[in-house]
Amino acid sequence: MTPKKKTSKVFDWYTVTSDTLRGWSFAAIVVALGVVGFIGYRILNEAVLEREVARVIQEAQDLLRTVRDEGAINSYREEYFVARSYLEEAKQYQAAEDLQEAFRRAERSRSLLASILSTLSTRGPEGEAMFIAVEGEVEFRRGDRGSWQSARSRVALNAGDYVKTSKGGSAEIMTVDGTLYTVRQDTVLLIGRIRPAPGAAGQRTVQLESGWVDLGTSQSSSRISTPQAEARIQQDSTAAISHDPDKDESKFSAYEGSMVVASNDGTSQEVGNMQQVIQTGTKLSRPTPLPKPPVPVLPEDNYEAFLSSETEIVLEWQKVPGAEHYALQVARNRFFVQNVINVKDRKETSAKIGLQSVGTFVWRVSAVDGSGVQGPWSELRRFRVTSGDTLEGASTGGSDAARSSG
């Protein structure tokens, strides 16, 4: 019998220049001594995360006490108890040693409490939302006749305020009911007023005029409208809504939980978990399934590469059933607005990255099915390049973030 030939895995190459390795220092700093090896690295990484969880929980507890002492609970009673619930859940996950989930819950509690205090101190109890984080060029305007101002974190927003992001701009906005909006680049939206919901607390609204937002509700439902429809997103849900005025097309995607989309023509569709509805004009499509998010495999989160011994690393993820190809992004920060690698038609489930200089990266990947429908992004992974001189003979691209070299 003729022995089978051993096949080798084929990777595409991407090169990261020194200019693209600057920025974003939010990731936890991991110091891994070579003599300690992989086990030592993991232990140190968890120790850093454990300290970070404890710090954020303590900050949330202090803010909770401040909100109560200053009487803000009288104006934002529902939001106060949502934040307190998140803090209690964070402590439970901390005790169970689920540090990632503990951090997420504590951070949500801290952000919500900070938004309550900032809204009261900046604009009074009528405030509806607040900028949590801003990246690139982001502006806001008070009402229809106000002038556009540069946005910054902790600025409160009120009913009737507009938010606009340019190309390369993105922002996180949290409403006081705990809904977190990630506003992508080239987006315009309007902060709405509280709308009463029969038999329930009022629901805050956002009107998307153009662009794309991702959102996650907490223990309250939320509403977001486009020119031709309104989506009612249920509590504890994550979703993405987009509107393209040139095509007169809107997309409503539910990643977790569900929503109901009501068109201006009187029809409606329920969008379940991992489903999408597309609206053209006023016509709503039937719900269609979304590809599942890929699961990253390599490298480990917060992986540290050394230029003195490594010239490249491999990004690898699990195959998604039904995926025709994958979209891959590598960026300098978690907003992914200035991507150093932005590949939309990756056939393989891996990519090889050539290293040139020190810095920190974040990366993610999503699956695209045969109909061109793109699913949600995978969880974000980070890697850091440290130590060693720039590789001799490596290509230099100036402001070019990345390019294929083979």
Side-chain angles (χ1 to χ4, degrees):
M1 178 180 295
T2 303
K4 294 182 178 179
K5 292 183 180 180
K6 186 177 180 179
T7 59
S8 60
K9 208 165 195 176
V10 178
F11 302 102
D12 278 357
W13 279 76
Y14 300 97
T15 302
V16 175
T17 69
S18 58
D19 284 348
T20 65
L21 286 157
R22 303 189 184 108
W24 198 58
S25 59
F26 179 75
I29 299 175
V30 180
V31 181
L33 298 176
V35 295
V36 176
F38 179 72
I39 295 178
Y41 163 77
R42 289 296 300 274
I43 293 174
L44 181 60
N45 187 38
E46 291 198 8
V48 171
L49 182 57
E50 186 176 357
R51 291 196 298 270
E52 189 71 7
V53 167
R55 181 182 67 82
V56 177
I57 286 178
Q58 183 60 52
E59 290 180 0
Q61 287 182 153
D62 293 342
L63 288 172
L64 193 74
R65 189 180 306 111
T66 301
V67 169
R68 184 179 62 248
D69 293 346
E70 293 190 2
I73 187 176
N74 296 326
S75 300
Y76 297 106
R77 183 177 182 83
E78 178 188 351
E79 293 77 14
Y80 171 85
F81 285 108
V82 169
R84 192 177 73 173
S85 176
Y86 272 122
L87 180 57
E88 292 172 351
E89 291 173 1
K91 292 178 180 179
Q92 293 172 1
Y93 281 112
Q94 182 188 37
E97 299 184 350
D98 188 346
L99 299 179
Q100 292 283 358
E101 192 60 37
F103 180 82
R104 282 193 286 267
R105 300 301 173 104
E107 179 65 24
R108 179 64 71 86
S109 175
R110 182 178 66 172
S111 298
L112 179 54
L113 291 165
S115 72
I116 294 174
L117 290 172
S118 180
T119 299
L120 287 173
S121 63
T122 306
R123 295 289 293 180
E126 74 275 11
E128 297 292 338
M130 184 184 75
F131 285 107
I132 300 298
V134 175
E135 173 69 19
E137 186 176 346
V138 181
E139 298 177 299
F140 71 98
R141 185 177 71 187
R142 303 294 187 191
D144 292 325
R145 299 182 179 180
S147 60
W148 289 102
Q149 307 174 53
S150 296
R152 62 185 186 278
S153 61
R154 303 184 68 82
V155 168
L157 295 165
N158 296 273
D161 290 349
Y162 285 85
V163 175
K164 178 175 64 175
T165 61
S166 65
K167 185 174 180 61
S170 182
E172 288 180 340
I173 296 173
M174 180 174 282
T175 57
V176 291
D177 62 0
T179 301
L180 180 64
Y181 294 87
T182 300
V183 187
R184 300 194 188 184
Q185 60 184 358
D186 295 324
T187 295
V188 177
L189 58 83
L190 169 67
I191 305 299
R193 301 181 184 278
I194 297 176
R195 294 189 55 172
Q203 297 173 323
R204 287 167 174 81
T205 66
V206 167
Q207 180 177 326
L208 179 64
E209 297 192 351
S210 64
W212 188 306
V213 295
D214 298 296
L215 68 142
T217 61
S218 59
Q219 296 182 5
S220 300
S221 58
S222 189
R223 296 177 184 236
I224 181 168
S225 63
T226 62
Q228 299 286 6
E230 180 183 72
R232 299 187 292 274
I233 300 94
Q234 301 305 309
Q235 66 181 43
D236 296 319
S237 297
T238 59
I241 315 292
S242 67
H243 176 67
D244 186 339
D246 293 333
K247 296 180 179 179
D248 196 15
E249 179 184 86
S250 300
K251 294 181 180 180
F252 304 86
S253 303
Y255 299 151
E256 294 181 13
S258 63
M259 72 175 89
V260 175
V261 180
S263 173
N264 290 352
D265 65 4
T267 62
S268 65
Q269 290 283 1
E270 182 172 354
V271 188
N273 186 50
M274 291 300 294
Q275 288 185 335
Q276 180 184 81
V277 163
I278 298 176
Q279 182 184 40
T280 304
T282 59
K283 185 177 181 180
L284 295 172
S285 71
R286 297 183 61 84
T288 57
L290 291 167
K292 294 182 178 180
V295 177
V297 176
L298 294 173
E300 281 282 328
D301 193 22
N302 289 319
Y303 176 77
E304 192 164 17
F306 296 90
L307 278 178
S308 57
S309 58
E310 299 175 76
T311 60
E312 74 273 343
I313 65 172
V314 174
L315 307 182
E316 188 171 348
W317 54 92
Q318 293 181 3
K319 181 179 177 61
V320 174
E324 181 73 19
H325 56 271
Y326 301 90
L328 171 66
Q329 291 183 339
V330 182
R332 289 175 282 184
N333 60 51
R334 61 192 174 89
F335 286 98
F336 290 93
V337 292
Q338 296 180 1
N339 298 318
V340 300
I341 292 173
N342 191 14
V343 182
K344 299 181 179 180
D345 55 354
R346 182 112 192 106
K347 293 291 186 180
E348 294 79 13
T349 57
S350 60
K352 186 174 289 186
I353 308 298
L355 307 178
Q356 285 194 300
S357 188
V358 298
T360 301
F361 276 140
V362 290
W363 70 280
R364 63 184 183 180
V365 63
S366 66
V368 183
D369 65 18
S371 301
V373 176
Q374 183 172 335
W377 292 102
S378 67
E379 65 178 27
L380 181 148
R381 285 263 180 116
R382 309 168 182 86
F383 67 87
R384 189 180 181 202
V385 184
T386 62
S387 302
D389 298 327
T390 302
L391 298 178
E392 293 185 4
S395 59
T396 56
S399 62
D400 291 338
R403 59 174 178 267
S404 174
S405 61

